[in-house]
């Protein structure tokens, strides 16, 4: 059973991913050790409150939520309010959660939990990687203590979604991302190349909205904003729930197809800062970085059906 420490910037697709993870916990298929939040879709304090809202809705009142880094390592902070709303949940204006975040900072908690449970934890990161980068700086031995790191981020043979080449989670803190990719730990990267083909559409959304449960109503409500934001890109009614694919591959890697390459982040390019770079030549150059297992595709139908079933199970 996977023991997951979830690091996120809880906007709409992170919230849907939390519902998926909650369904695994309630089915006895995973342990959600905790949630940490980071700047990205919204500020980390708002993200923490959103995480608590979702966990409480799903009946997981005991999962601790920690607030993490409020800004990137070497640039100004930016938020994705056009995609997630000013509250991160599609401007739904939900009441405050009953719980409150813990006092411990998210990066410090990554280190503490990894030390207390060596070899057990899967770090699942679906936001900018500032907390993971800070944790590496706090404890250089961290990579030896973690079972696996699974990241939603990057783009290779797919256009970026913030700039022509850069994906949002990497672009929000390129320095932290490159620190994480340089670390010697088992890593899976789930880029836009794998997530975009999983976009849900009319039939999936209609099946969700037809279900009369609190979780389904919540998911339908927050997805309305996200679908409206996505429709110009997809040119149809739909949305890409990126983060949920990373979570699903963390617990069932067999759902994906992969390539293994060392990954770097462009830090200085005027037009390419934040771009993930790999050597895809047939004879790649020698590299001292550990190869990253990069998802290049997945079983789209299985992903969509499992995600819907998980929400409807709550």
């Amino acid at each position: 059973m996977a023991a997951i420490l979830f690091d996120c910037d809880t906007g709409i697709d992170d919230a849907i991913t939390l519902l998926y993870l909650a369904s695994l916990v309630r089915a006895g298929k995973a342990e959600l050790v905790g949630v940490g939040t980071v700047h990205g879709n919204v500020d980390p304090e708002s993200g923490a409150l959103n995480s608590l809202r979702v966990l409480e809705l799903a009946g997981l009142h005991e999962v601790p939520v920690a607030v993490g880094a409020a800004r990137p390592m070497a640039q100004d902070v930016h938020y994705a309010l056009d995609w997630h709303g000013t509250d991160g949940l599609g401007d739904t204006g939900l009441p405050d959660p009953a719980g409150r975040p813990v006092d411990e900072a998210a990066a410090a908690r990554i280190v503490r939990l990894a030390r207390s449970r060596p070899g057990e934890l899967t770090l699942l990161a679906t936001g900018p990687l500032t907390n993971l980068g800070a944790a590496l700086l706090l404890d250089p031995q961290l990579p030896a203590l973690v079972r696996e790191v699974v990241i939603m981020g990057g783009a290779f043979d797919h256009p970026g979604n913030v700039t022509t080449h850069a994906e949002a989670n990497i672009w929000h803190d390129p320095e932290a991302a490159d620190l994480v990719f340089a670390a010697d730990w088992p890593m899976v990267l789930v880029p836009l190349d794998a997530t975009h083909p999983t976009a849900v559409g009319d039939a999936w959304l209609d099946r969700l909205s037809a279900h009369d449960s609190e979780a389904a109503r919540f998911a339908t409500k927050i997805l309305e904003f996200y679908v409206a934001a996505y429709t110009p890109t997809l040119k149809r009614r739909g949305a890409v729930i990126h983060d949920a694919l990373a979570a699903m591959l963390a617990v069932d890697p067999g759902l994906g197809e992969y390539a293994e390459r060392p990954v770097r982040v462009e830090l200085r390019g005027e037009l390419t800062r934040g771009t993930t770079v790999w050597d895809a030549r047939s004879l790649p150059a020698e590299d001292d970085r550990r190869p990253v297992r990069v998802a290049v595709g997945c079983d789209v139908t299985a992903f969509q059906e499992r995600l819907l079933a998980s929400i409807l199970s709550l």
Side-chain angles (χ1 to χ4, degrees), residues 2-313:
I4 295 171
L5 182 54
F6 186 33
D7 198 86
C8 55
D9 56 342
T10 305
I12 293 167
D13 57 335
D14 308 78
I16 299 295
T17 302
L18 267 174
L19 292 176
Y20 168 71
L21 292 172
S23 75
L24 296 180
V25 172
R26 289 179 51 165
K29 296 178 180 177
E31 176 189 1
L32 186 56
V33 176
V35 176
T37 61
V38 66
H39 67 90
N41 293 328
V42 288
D43 65 272
E45 291 80 9
S46 298
L49 294 178
N50 287 343
S51 300
L52 287 164
R53 287 183 177 104
V54 180
L55 290 166
E56 290 172 9
L57 180 150
L60 302 186
H61 298 272
E62 304 305 315
V63 175
V65 175
V67 176
R71 54 160 298 146
M73 289 183 168
Q75 66 184 26
D76 292 337
V77 67
H78 299 274
Y79 304 122
L81 307 184
D82 289 349
W83 289 90
H84 298 271
T86 54
D87 62 358
L89 294 178
D91 288 333
T92 46
L94 298 172
D96 283 345
R100 286 294 176 268
V102 298
D103 289 335
E104 189 175 22
R109 191 175 61 172
I110 291 172
V111 171
R112 180 178 61 79
L113 290 172
R115 286 174 174 170
S116 67
R117 300 181 63 170
E120 293 184 30
L121 296 183
T122 294
L123 295 183
L124 171 62
T126 63
L129 298 176
T130 316
N131 290 339
L132 273 66
L136 285 166
L137 297 176
L138 287 171
D139 187 354
Q141 302 305 312
L142 183 63
L145 300 173
V146 170
R147 179 181 175 274
E148 186 174 50
V149 180
V150 180
I151 295 164
M152 189 277 126
F156 295 93
D157 296 325
H158 192 283
N161 60 0
V162 174
T163 69
T164 55
H165 290 72
E167 178 275 333
N169 287 339
I170 308 302
W171 179 85
H172 277 290
D173 196 340
E175 279 75 16
D178 201 53
L179 269 178
V180 171
F181 295 140
D184 187 24
W185 45 17
M187 193 183 325
V188 176
L189 181 62
V190 185
L192 298 181
D193 310 62
T195 64
H196 250 275
T198 69
V200 299
D202 272 326
W204 193 95
L205 292 163
D206 290 346
R207 288 164 66 195
L208 175 67
S209 64
H211 197 79
D212 189 28
S213 68
E214 188 179 5
R217 289 194 300 271
F218 167 77
T220 297
K221 190 173 185 181
I222 64 173
L223 281 169
E224 287 175 4
F225 189 99
Y226 202 50
V227 166
Y230 251 113
T231 296
T233 299
L234 296 175
K235 297 180 171 52
R236 61 178 173 84
R237 179 175 172 243
V240 186
I241 308 174
H242 305 272
D243 298 344
L245 181 61
M248 206 172 287
L249 294 180
V251 296
D252 184 6
L255 197 71
E257 304 164 20
Y258 305 89
E260 293 205 8
R261 294 278 195 284
V263 173
R264 281 176 161 72
V265 180
E266 174 55 55
L267 302 179
R268 289 178 291 277
E270 181 182 353
L271 302 177
T272 55
R273 177 170 162 80
T275 302
T276 45
V277 179
W278 63 358
D279 190 343
R281 294 176 293 183
S282 57
L283 291 173
E286 288 195 16
D287 200 312
D288 56 1
R289 286 197 178 186
R290 180 173 181 153
V292 174
R293 201 169 185 223
V294 180
V296 294
C298 75
D299 184 333
V300 172
T301 301
F303 164 77
Q304 293 178 343
E305 290 302 311
R306 287 187 201 178
L307 182 60
L308 184 62
S310 71
I311 299 169
L312 302 188
S313 73

